[in-house]
Amino acid sequence: MEHFRRPRRLRATPQIRNLVAETHLHHEQLILPMFVREGIDSPIPIGAMPGVVQHSTASAIEEVRSLLDHGVTSVLLFGVTDHKDEDGSYACRTDFVLQRTIHELKETFGDAVFVISDLCLDEYTSHGHCGVLDGKGRVDNDRTLLRYQALAQSLAQAGVDMVAPSGMMDHQVAAIREALDDSNAIDCGILAYSAKYGSALYGPFREAVDVEIADGGDRRAYQQDYRNQREALFEVELDLAEGADMVMVKPASFYLDIVAKVRSMCPVPLAAYQVSGEYSMIVSAAEAGFIDRRQTIQESLTAIVRAGADCVLTYFAKEVASWM
């Protein structure tokens, strides 16, 4: 009887393929990462990420307005500044571009837009690391947590809906949750970068946020080793125990096995970040004529959702939503 089984019958036309598709990509699943820069009046293109810019507060508002028109309702903000010091203190100012933009977005759009803010220090430190350094030039985990707490409270005061700590410090979720609750920001959520790998795919992002690690250093002492899988699951367990509302795997495309493993054991929503290198590779290959841009973007994002991600952070968010 096996010769009666013909799977191709369910692939014969676009209509039947759509009817039986197991994975669907929706604009509600997409989060657009955005860069807002101190001291500019108009957007500045990012050379390593064609089509992506550093925004002023005003242009960020217009971009979100357009984004909402396309049905994408969530953004992740990164701050960019030339004012850098040893411990990233400038980022905690109430008049910093990140806090101003958060405030203006919520004033303009209210709950129509869900605003997430990156919570880290690398964009604001003179040495380019994600935390405060000790006397030997190593990131001091517990001193860094104090700075994260102050930044979390500052972002919450500006009106952010959720903070996303990306520094991979031990116990960062617990420290931030404590600081938020102490400042009566109990409704502010935490999207934990629980499985953030030390990846070569972050290269274009460094230009986007003007970060250069001092003395040619790297972040391997605190970001995860790309050779490891069990380590990611342990990190997720710790963040869940400390109160993470959502967790993230970053990067996405090279780590679909991690996405699937985390999904199988994680009770909270799971995000995956299609990072700058993933974006730039697709754009560059498409511009060279090697691949079809639209088909590759759709396939890549669908694969991330198929692996188990509930939502995807992608620089393609508005473009993809315009096709839906």
Side-chain angles (χ1 to χ4, degrees), residues 205-238:
F205 179 87
R206 305 280 164 79
E207 179 184 337
V209 292
D210 286 355
V211 169
E212 182 175 347
I213 303 175
D215 302 321
D218 56 54
R219 300 191 174 113
R220 295 176 184 172
Y222 44 99
Q223 292 180 354
Q224 286 183 215
D225 189 326
Y226 65 82
R227 298 171 293 184
N228 295 346
Q229 185 180 89
R230 294 191 302 271
E231 179 183 23
L233 305 183
F234 182 56
E235 289 278 9
V236 170
E237 289 176 349
L238 289 176

Side-chain angles (χ1 to χ4, degrees), residues 148-167:
Y148 284 5
Q149 288 181 313
L151 181 52
Q153 291 176 333
S154 177
L155 295 169
Q157 184 179 358
V160 79
D161 295 298
M162 179 172 279
V163 294
S166 58

Side-chain angles (χ1 to χ4, degrees), residues 29-281:
Q29 296 170 296
L30 304 176
I31 302 170
L32 179 68
M34 297 176 62
F35 306 99
V36 290
R37 185 178 188 110
E38 187 85 352
I40 63 172
D41 297 320
S42 58
I44 298 176
I46 299 167
M49 300 177 68
V52 180
V53 302
Q54 295 173 335
H55 283 283
S56 65
T57 295
S59 68
I61 290 172
E62 292 310 306
E63 178 69 359
V64 170
R65 192 185 308 279
S66 176
L67 199 66
L68 292 172
D69 288 341
H70 286 82
V72 178
T73 59
S74 300
V75 295
L76 171 67
L77 301 182
F78 294 89
V80 187
T81 181
D82 294 326
H83 299 280
K84 302 186 181 188
D85 58 23
E86 286 294 310
D87 61 358
S89 61
Y90 196 84
C92 297
R93 294 169 57 108
T94 57
D95 61 347
F96 181 51
V97 66
L98 189 57
Q99 284 81 342
R100 294 200 317 270
T101 304
I102 292 168
H103 176 76
E104 289 297 323
L105 286 174
K106 298 306 292 186
E107 281 287 305
T108 304
F109 303 109
D111 290 339
V113 62
F114 190 79
V115 181
I116 310 167
S117 175
D118 178 67
L119 196 162
C120 198
L121 298 183
D122 57 320
E123 303 102 310
Y124 319 117
T125 55
S126 53
H127 45 73
H129 277 289
C130 296
V132 181
L133 303 185
D134 63 17
K136 297 182 179 180
R138 301 170 301 190
V139 174
D140 186 318
N141 192 96
D142 293 356
R143 285 179 61 206
T144 298
L145 295 184
L146 296 176
R147 179 60 62 192
Y148 284 5
Q149 288 181 313
L151 181 52
Q153 291 176 333
S154 177
L155 295 169
Q157 184 179 358
V160 79
D161 295 298
M162 179 172 279
V163 294
S166 58
M168 290 300 291
M169 296 297 116
D170 292 341
H171 308 304
Q172 62 183 13
V173 172
I176 291 168
R177 185 72 269 160
E178 179 183 14
L180 290 172
D181 290 353
D182 285 349
S183 60
N184 201 34
I186 58 174
D187 293 328
C188 182
I190 299 176
L191 166 57
Y193 283 64
S194 300
K196 181 180 180 181
Y197 283 86
S199 173
L201 295 174
Y202 303 145
F205 179 87
R206 305 280 164 79
E207 179 184 337
V209 292
D210 286 355
V211 169
E212 182 175 347
I213 303 175
D215 302 321
D218 56 54
R219 300 191 174 113
R220 295 176 184 172
Y222 44 99
Q223 292 180 354
Q224 286 183 215
D225 189 326
Y226 65 82
R227 298 171 293 184
N228 295 346
Q229 185 180 89
R230 294 191 302 271
E231 179 183 23
L233 305 183
F234 182 56
E235 289 278 9
V236 170
E237 289 176 349
L238 289 176
D239 284 350
L240 291 175
E242 293 179 12
D245 299 288
M246 298 174 60
V247 298
M248 183 196 296
V249 174
K250 180 182 180 182
S253 299
F254 285 16
Y255 296 85
L256 296 183
D257 60 321
I258 307 300
V259 174
K261 288 279 188 180
V262 172
R263 176 70 287 153
S264 68
M265 53 77 70
C266 179
V268 304
L270 170 61
Y273 198 145
Q274 187 183 54
V275 300
S276 60
E278 297 171 78
Y279 171 86
S280 296
M281 285 192 293

